[in-house]
Amino acid sequence: MQVFMQTAVIYARYSSEKQTEQSIEGQLHVCNEYAKKNNFNVVKTYIDRAKTGRTDNRDAFQQMIKDSTNHTFSVIIVYALDRFSRNRYDSAIYKAALRRNGVRLISATQPISENPEGILLESLLEGLAEYYSAELSQKLARGRRESISKGQYTGGGIPYGYKIENKKFVIEKNEAKNVKLIFKLINELHNYAGVINYLKENCIYNRKNCAFTRNQIITILNNKTYTGLLKRGEFVCEDAVPIIIDKKYFKETQMVMKNNYIPHSKSKAEFLLSGKVICGKCGAKLIGDSGTAKSGRTHYYYCCANHKNSHTCNLKRYPKEKFENFIYKCIVEKLKSEDHISEIARDIKKVLSENSTIEQIKVLKKNLASVEKKLENIASAVQDGIINEKIKLENEKALEQKENITQQIEELEDDPFNYIEVDQIIDYIKNKYLKIGKEAILKALVYKVYIYNDEIVILLELNDPKNPAKRQVIVGGSSCDDLVAHRRIELLIPP
């Protein structure tokens, strides 16, 4: 009997220069063993070295996402979910993109069951990884705060007008001269186009020796760094860098811009359920719509596309915030009311225990003891006068092995998942996960929402859409105004 093999790729990553190829090799070994055991044909491996999982700015990762559109593989295997991403929002977005391309994400060490709790379990594991990653970030942030207070460069783009010398901001004279000119021109001309044309006519170009664009001019005019202020994230320090523009003059320029310019376009509201809400009457998607009140305030709605474009459907519009809040509340209350939290916490603890690094540490410490014994024997041989090229090579090899094993042990011992207990997980779910906000919950858990004038059906996202299991309760109500009075909700898996 011939067994069909699914095509798969492996993604591996380590976070910092302090980690080594040993980390990658370990991940690849586990992933390849998993692929072999589960009948996956590995066709390619993607590796990011010294790249954090808190950002999606990873070359191999982005290439893998791009390659998924070619449909040359159907599965991505990672050592653990946090290798894919430690950012819950990025994870949800990219996994949704992979699903559209027919690609599944599988963890070799964190098997997620394909039942209705599966997607929640996976999301919680990602949340825990992000939570502990954030704690680590706070520790690193202390060092950045100290650097910023000293006016030191901590990475990122260098504002036009400055250069970096010995980790300090230093004025770049020619660029600073142009910055002052741009501020002077905008105060005189009150016109972006006039500033751009003047710079072009006088052959004054940006750092790439190209003409300044409108956005570049606006960025310069709004950059408080020129007043001496240094800001990185939440950390702000006054008079930390050399001043190019006087603070008073900077504020006067901001008033000129505010009084003379209308924003090019109003920022659009983000519809968190975009593409997921379906009209139960005609089958069209609900799209974002807006209207302006007499007060000038803009109101946003979910509106049936056929109702808006061709007036062939009479489904009422649903106020965006009210509708999203209602769906979010229904899901959170449902998860709480079914008393799944303790069960899910135990499942997570089981997954973490089965894949705990404690056993790996024991094996590594045993190997370390063996290597140290070998080094003792070599030292004894040298003391006895036995010194030759072979002894030297063995000593160098053993020392290298000791260093690598020690580094692996230190890395594994820092894994916070070794020490998490069920009570802590329950506390995390109640006080962190279910309070992470509607954006994360809606993006991670909602597959589709079918809406009628008197009924709403919510379909939850699951690992396996073909799973016949389902949970049912129905939401009823007669209009948008009755959303808060809905009492029944149906949670189904996708058909």
Side-chain angles (χ1 to χ4, degrees):
M1 177 180 174
Q2 185 176 5
V3 180
F4 174 72
M5 296 185 71
Q6 293 188 64
T7 54
V9 298
I10 293 173
Y11 176 71
R13 172 186 67 79
Y14 66 79
S15 300
S16 69
E17 298 293 354
K18 293 181 180 179
Q19 295 173 299
T20 67
E21 289 297 321
Q22 297 292 328
S23 174
I24 292 293
E25 289 175 6
Q27 292 178 49
L28 294 180
H29 175 74
V30 172
C31 290
N32 276 307
E33 286 296 313
Y34 179 89
K36 185 178 179 181
K37 182 179 178 181
N38 292 275
N39 206 40
F40 291 119
N41 177 31
V42 178
V43 296
K44 190 169 182 179
T45 298
Y46 297 86
I47 299 173
D48 277 314
R49 294 172 172 83
K51 294 289 184 179
T52 176
R54 293 190 296 273
T55 173
D56 61 355
N57 186 22
R58 293 171 267 151
D59 295 339
F61 179 84
Q62 289 296 339
Q63 186 61 49
M64 177 179 68
I65 299 298
K66 182 179 179 181
D67 290 348
S68 72
T69 61
N70 299 327
H71 306 290
T72 55
F73 55 89
S74 58
V75 171
I76 295 173
I77 303 173
V78 294
Y79 176 80
L81 293 172
D82 66 354
R83 297 300 90 188
F84 183 77
S85 175
R86 284 189 171 181
N87 183 300
R88 184 169 43 246
Y89 306 112
D90 284 349
S91 180
I93 290 169
Y94 284 110
K95 281 196 287 188
L98 290 172
R99 279 194 293 273
R100 288 195 295 271
N101 297 330
V103 177
R104 285 189 299 147
L105 177 69
I106 295 177
S107 165
T109 63
Q110 295 171 329
I112 306 299
S113 59
E114 295 181 349
N115 56 30
E117 283 75 29
I119 185 64
L120 182 58
L121 174 58
E122 181 177 340
S123 185
L124 282 165
L125 285 171
E126 290 171 349
L128 281 167
E130 182 179 7
Y131 176 66
Y132 283 104
S133 178
E135 282 197 337
L136 178 61
S137 294
Q138 288 179 359
K139 294 177 182 177
L140 296 175
R142 296 189 193 105
R144 287 198 296 271
R145 185 190 293 114
E146 184 67 21
S147 297
I148 290 169
S149 66
K150 296 177 181 178
Q152 294 180 341
Y153 174 66
T154 58
I158 303 170
Y160 184 80
Y162 294 99
K163 58 183 177 180
I164 304 300
E165 292 182 358
N166 298 321
K167 295 185 179 181
K168 289 276 192 176
F169 285 85
V170 177
I171 290 177
E172 208 291 327
K173 292 182 179 180
N174 290 329
E175 291 182 358
K177 180 180 176 182
N178 293 338
V179 169
K180 292 177 180 178
L181 175 62
I182 289 170
F183 272 81
K184 180 175 181 291
L185 289 172
I186 204 69
N187 278 280
E188 292 177 354
L189 302 175
H190 293 197
N191 185 284
Y192 291 130
V195 175
I196 292 170
N197 289 334
Y198 181 92
L199 296 175
K200 281 183 181 178
E201 291 170 0
N202 289 273
C203 300
I204 298 172
Y205 302 119
N206 62 24
R207 192 173 281 166
K208 294 182 179 180
N209 203 31
C210 299
F212 281 94
T213 65
R214 186 177 189 272
N215 286 338
Q216 287 172 343
I217 296 296
I218 293 173
T219 298
I220 288 172
L221 293 171
N222 285 316
N223 196 336
K224 293 183 179 180
T225 305
Y226 299 128
T227 66
L229 183 143
L230 183 57
K231 181 179 180 181
R232 288 293 183 272
E234 63 187 52
F235 307 132
V236 179
C237 187
E238 298 278 355
D239 301 320
V241 300
I243 295 173
I244 295 177
I245 301 296
D246 177 80
K247 291 178 182 178
K248 183 180 178 182
Y249 187 50
F250 184 89
K251 289 181 180 179
E252 291 172 353
T253 303
Q254 299 305 303
M255 292 303 298
V256 169
M257 295 170 64
K258 181 179 179 180
N259 293 333
N260 289 278
Y261 296 99
I262 299 174
H264 184 66
S265 62
K266 295 181 180 179
S267 59
K268 296 182 179 179
E270 181 183 9
F271 287 78
L272 301 179
L273 294 169
S274 177
K276 296 183 177 184
V277 189
I278 309 297
C279 176
K281 303 190 70 175
C282 69
K285 288 185 177 181
L286 268 67
I287 58 177
D289 192 15
S290 64
T292 304
K294 291 181 180 179
S295 63
R297 183 180 178 183
T298 302
H299 297 277
Y300 297 94
Y301 305 88
Y302 282 92
C303 178
C304 172
N306 285 335
H307 176 80
K308 178 177 173 63
N309 298 328
S310 59
H311 305 290
T312 56
C313 180
N314 64 357
L315 185 76
K316 298 177 181 179
R317 295 193 304 179
Y318 281 68
K320 173 189 172 302
E321 290 297 326
K322 191 173 183 179
F323 182 68
E324 290 174 352
N325 288 338
F326 172 71
I327 300 298
Y328 165 63
K329 183 179 178 182
C330 285
I331 293 173
V332 171
E333 288 186 350
K334 179 67 177 175
L335 294 175
K336 284 182 178 180
S337 65
E338 290 197 355
D339 196 27
H340 285 310
I341 292 180
S342 295
E343 181 180 349
I344 291 169
R346 288 193 294 271
D347 287 343
I348 292 176
K349 177 60 179 177
K350 183 180 178 182
V351 170
L352 296 177
S353 297
E354 289 173 351
N355 303 285
S356 172
T357 57
I358 293 174
E359 290 302 318
Q360 298 178 51
I361 292 171
K362 289 180 180 178
V363 173
L364 286 170
K365 285 186 175 179
K366 185 177 179 180
N367 293 341
L368 180 61
S370 177
V371 172
E372 289 177 337
K373 180 65 176 176
K374 186 175 183 179
L375 285 168
E376 288 177 6
N377 293 336
I378 292 173
S380 296
V382 172
Q383 287 178 355
D384 293 339
I386 305 173
I387 303 176
N388 53 45
E389 197 62 33
K390 184 179 179 180
I391 289 289
K392 289 180 180 179
L393 289 174
E394 287 183 357
N395 186 63
E396 290 176 3
K397 185 178 179 181
L399 286 171
E400 185 178 351
Q401 288 177 332
K402 180 181 178 180
E403 182 180 353
N404 287 336
I405 294 172
T406 301
Q407 194 167 19
Q408 288 182 68
I409 291 172
E410 290 175 354
E411 182 181 327
L412 291 173
E413 286 180 335
D414 286 339
D415 187 350
F417 287 160
N418 290 331
Y419 316 105
I420 296 178
E421 298 299 334
V422 172
D423 289 345
Q424 291 175 288
I425 298 173
I426 291 174
D427 180 69
Y428 170 79
I429 295 172
K430 288 181 178 178
N431 299 314
K432 294 287 183 183
Y433 183 76
L434 292 180
K435 296 179 180 179
I436 59 177
K438 65 180 180 181
E439 180 177 357
I441 291 289
L442 296 182
K443 286 184 177 180
L445 298 185
V446 176
Y447 175 75
K448 286 284 188 285
V449 176
Y450 289 89
I451 184 163
Y452 308 81
N453 280 331
D454 59 354
E455 180 179 286
I456 295 175
V457 179
I458 300 174
L459 281 67
L460 292 183
E461 184 80 84
L462 293 177
N463 287 338
D464 183 4
K466 296 180 181 179
N467 191 324
K470 64 181 179 180
R471 292 187 245 152
Q472 298 184 11
V473 191
I474 295 185
V475 179
S478 58
S479 71
C480 173
D481 294 332
D482 295 329
L483 278 176
V484 293
H486 283 46
R487 287 293 179 267
R488 296 188 299 164
I489 178 169
E490 183 167 15
L491 301 180
L492 304 170
I493 65 163

